[in-house]
Amino acid sequence: MHELEALVMRIVWRDGRATVREALGALNAAEDRPRAYTTVLTIMQRLDEKGLLKRERDGRTDVYRPALTAEEYRDRRAAADVDDLLDRYEDEALVHFARRLASLDPDRRRRLQRLARRG
């Protein structure tokens, strides 16, 4: 996700829904450099096409809602990144993961093992 996409997603995750104008207002309130309506519209349309937002029509206004929770997105993104690392580096990547796991606090390692069994 690009930086502006991530900012828009944070707004929609926080608020549970947003129109383009609402997202634009939140972005511009938080930044020194104002964004254009058409820029935010394009970003939200792209996020809808990517399956990260769901667009619903309310009269003449489009309302966007998150298609995934932030946690679901992070989980899917992490899985895709790990798959990419394994595809590119194969066993070398696994060696680094194993070393990292071995260096973790035992309580954290047990929590992660429980999470892995659930997933």
Side-chain angles (χ1 to χ4, degrees), residues 56-63:
E56 301 168 0
R57 199 73 156 149
D58 184 11
R60 293 181 359 169
T61 304
D62 287 332
V63 177

Side-chain angles (χ1 to χ4, degrees), residues 3-78:
E3 181 184 346
L4 187 53
E5 290 176 333
L7 291 170
V8 168
M9 285 305 300
R10 277 191 222 114
I11 291 165
V12 180
W13 279 322
R14 181 193 69 206
D15 297 345
R17 60 168 302 284
T19 64
V20 175
R21 288 206 187 286
E22 291 166 345
L24 176 66
L27 284 169
N28 286 344
E31 295 186 9
D32 295 335
R33 190 181 88 177
R35 306 281 182 172
Y37 179 90
T38 53
T39 300
V40 177
L41 172 64
T42 300
I43 292 297
M44 293 180 88
Q45 288 172 335
R46 284 186 188 155
L47 289 167
D48 175 55
E49 291 166 6
K50 290 180 179 183
L52 295 171
L53 290 178
K54 290 187 247 178
R55 181 174 38 189
E56 301 168 0
R57 199 73 156 149
D58 184 11
R60 293 181 359 169
T61 304
D62 287 332
V63 177
Y64 293 85
R65 297 183 191 286
L68 305 167
T69 66
E71 294 78 20
E72 289 168 331
Y73 172 77
R74 279 195 304 272
D75 182 66
R76 288 184 186 185
R77 185 71 252 153

Side-chain angles (χ1 to χ4, degrees), residues 73-105:
Y73 172 77
R74 279 195 304 272
D75 182 66
R76 288 184 186 185
R77 185 71 252 153
D81 288 347
V82 168
D83 287 346
D84 181 53
L85 282 172
L86 293 175
D87 287 345
R88 289 190 307 175
Y89 299 106
E90 300 173 351
D91 285 349
E92 290 83 358
L94 290 172
V95 167
H96 287 282
F97 281 118
R99 285 181 186 152
R100 179 62 65 98
L101 285 170
S103 70
L104 292 177
D105 169 90

